[in-house]
């Protein structure tokens, strides 16, 4: 409680006053309207300062779902659990609740409930540190990171657990060493916990900012990220999704969705990624790496160690999903947040379903009769078909296509991660899962879009058994042909699912019904 009182005393609402009329002008975060209403309900004092005629000053009780007083009816979205709960949960209600706490805003609620002080301040100028279980998420104030030894490392740093040594993470606060040590169980790898860094925490005898030890003071709130990957979309979006989820865990102040924050990637490799524009949804500043700070003792006024990409029972990569459930509101919110922040245009669907086929230009998992499949598909007047190679487009150009796609078709591969940004009614057709059946099926369940894949093994024709670079047969390391009729059949099933989705525009369905041939009355 003392920590909360001190932190609340440190945090003040940023309100700019105009010199002309002495009225307050509020700066609201750039969020989709459904998100903004929930943001304002989280901070009622801010909401009450809005003009009385503001549309966002709604009396709605809408909430995200992580709040303790948030009813199921007011949540951003409720899971869909049409499947059988038998063998997985004692009741249908237990099935829904399990999914909600595994993969939805219930997970955020658990993190918030777990937040525990590890190092308590006595005065406002002191340091502080609080973390969730197993040190999956932490945040602190006035902490010193001693990065002088980084400059002496001969090898580049990535996935290292020894970036810091004892005494190279410092704060002036009352450290509960026993409590901190008890949360060190999940340090089997660098991407599971912040334990490899926090085990080096030591206490300074005087306040950090008065110690004379700071070579650099970072006043901007900083998120330090240990990332999974840069060039593989599936793995890099583990990073982005957990960063987004961490905004909610850190949502103790109206600036929670502010973009005036610094991203620091915990490695010395130069950051380069075809998906780098995604960081613009979170920060207006250039991304730092350890190379930008090496050789210095860096003091952060506010620092967040966000949720990690490979946590045990984590989000996205290791999410254990109970059978029969789908539609995580947290995943849908992430999708809408990214599309909104990156200003990706949306075009309403038309009579002809928009089918996007992802064409691979890689050595393996090419579709050898791709042209035959698409030629047959294009003959159907109900489809508008486009073939794209996403690696030739910028990421925002890719998202502009994905957001305006009704059926996305592609072979098993990281490009199918685009399913996160499909419309709610869309269907992802993983042409062949290459004996990895759950990866994109589970991601589609989390996002809440329909999923299809090839089921008739006798109608898919691999070029050979596949040859893994390290030896042995492997379905991901060969190319394929597919039966044309079965392909058309599966696309037809996907089209039917799209058109029967509750979010698919009714006016288009009415137009389709009106153009159907009518039987003559006898």
């Amino acid at each position: 409680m003392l920590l909360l009182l001190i932190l609340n005393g440190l945090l003040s609402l940023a309100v700019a006053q105009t010199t002309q009329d002495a009225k307050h002008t509020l700066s609201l975060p750039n969020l989709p309207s459904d998100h903004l209403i929930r943001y304002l309900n989280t901070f009622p004092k801010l909401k009450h300062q809005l003009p009385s005629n503001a549309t966002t000053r709604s009396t709605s009780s809408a909430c995200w779902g992580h709040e303790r007083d948030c009813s199921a009816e007011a949540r951003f979205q409720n899971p869909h659990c049409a499947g059988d709960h038998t063998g997985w949960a004692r009741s249908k209600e237990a099935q829904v609740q399990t999914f909600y706490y595994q993969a939805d805003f219930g997970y955020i609620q658990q993190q918030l409930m777990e937040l525990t002080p590890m190092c308590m301040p006595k005065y406002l100028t002191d340091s502080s540190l609080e973390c969730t279980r197993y040190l999956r998420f932490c945040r602190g104030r006035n902490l010193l990171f001693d990065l002088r030894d980084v400059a002496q490392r001969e090898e580049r740093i990535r996935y290292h657990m020894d970036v810091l040594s004892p005494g190279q993470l410092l704060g002036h606060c009352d450290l509960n060493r026993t409590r901190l040590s008890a949360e060190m169980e999940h340090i089997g790898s660098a991407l599971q916990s912040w334990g490899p860094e926090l085990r080096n925490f030591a206490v300074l005898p005087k306040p950090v900012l008065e110690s004379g030890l700071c070579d650099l003071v970072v006043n901007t709130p900083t998120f330090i990220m240990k990332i999974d990957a840069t060039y593989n979309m599936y793995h890099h979006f583990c990073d982005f999704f957990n960063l987004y989820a961490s905004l909610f865990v850190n949502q103790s102040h109206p600036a929670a969705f502010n973009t005036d924050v610094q991203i620091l990637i915990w490695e010395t490799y130069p950051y380069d990624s075809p998906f780098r524009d995604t960081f613009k949804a979170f920060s207006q500043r250039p991304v730092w790496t350890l190379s930008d700070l090496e050789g210095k003792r860096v003091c952060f006024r506010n620092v967040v160690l966000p949720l990690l990409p490979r946590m045990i029972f984590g989000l996205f990569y290791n999410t254990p999903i109970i059978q029969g459930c789908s539609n995580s509101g947290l995943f849908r919110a992430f999708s809408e947040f990214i599309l909104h922040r990156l200003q990706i245009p949306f075009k309403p669907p038309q009579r002809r379903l928009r089918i996007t086929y992802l064409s691979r230009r890689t050595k393996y998992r090419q579709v050898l009769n791709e042209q035959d499949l698409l030629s047959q598909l294009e003959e159907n007047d109900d489809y508008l078909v486009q073939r794209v190679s996403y690696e030739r487009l910028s990421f925002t150009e890719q998202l502009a296509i994905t957001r305006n796609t009704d059926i996305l078709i592609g072979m098993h591969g990281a490009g199918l991660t685009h399913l996160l940004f499909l419309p709610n009614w869309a269907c992802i057709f993983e042409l062949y899962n290459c004996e990895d059946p759950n990866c994109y099926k589970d991601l589609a369940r989390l996002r809440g879009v329909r999923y299809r894949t090839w089921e008739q093994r006798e109608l898919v024709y691999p070029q050979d058994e596949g040859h893994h670079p390290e030896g042995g047969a492997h379905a991901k390391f060969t190319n394929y042909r597919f039966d044309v009729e079965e392909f058309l059949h599966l696309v037809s099933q996907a089209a039917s699912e799209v058109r029967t989705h509750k979010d698919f525009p009714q006016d288009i369905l009415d137009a389709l019904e009106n153009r159907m041939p009518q039987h003559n009355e006898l």
Side-chain angles (χ1 to χ4, degrees), residues 417-437:
T417 310
H418 269 277
L419 69 86
L420 290 170
F421 304 105
L422 289 169
N424 293 338
W425 58 78
C427 180
I428 174 75
F429 177 13
E430 183 175 17
L431 189 52
Y432 190 55
N433 61 38
C434 298
E435 299 177 13
D436 187 356

Side-chain angles (χ1 to χ4, degrees), residues 44-89:
K45 290 182 180 180
L46 177 63
K47 180 178 178 180
H48 292 151
Q49 294 181 54
L50 293 173
S52 58
N53 61 346
T55 56
T56 48
R57 195 173 172 179
S58 166
T59 57
S60 166
S61 60
C63 45
W64 293 107
H66 62 74
E67 306 89 340
R68 292 189 182 185
D69 59 348
C70 181
S71 67
E73 294 75 22
R75 286 175 180 170
F76 184 70
Q77 179 173 287
N78 282 302
H80 177 66
C81 295
D84 189 359
H85 69 272
T86 304
W88 299 97

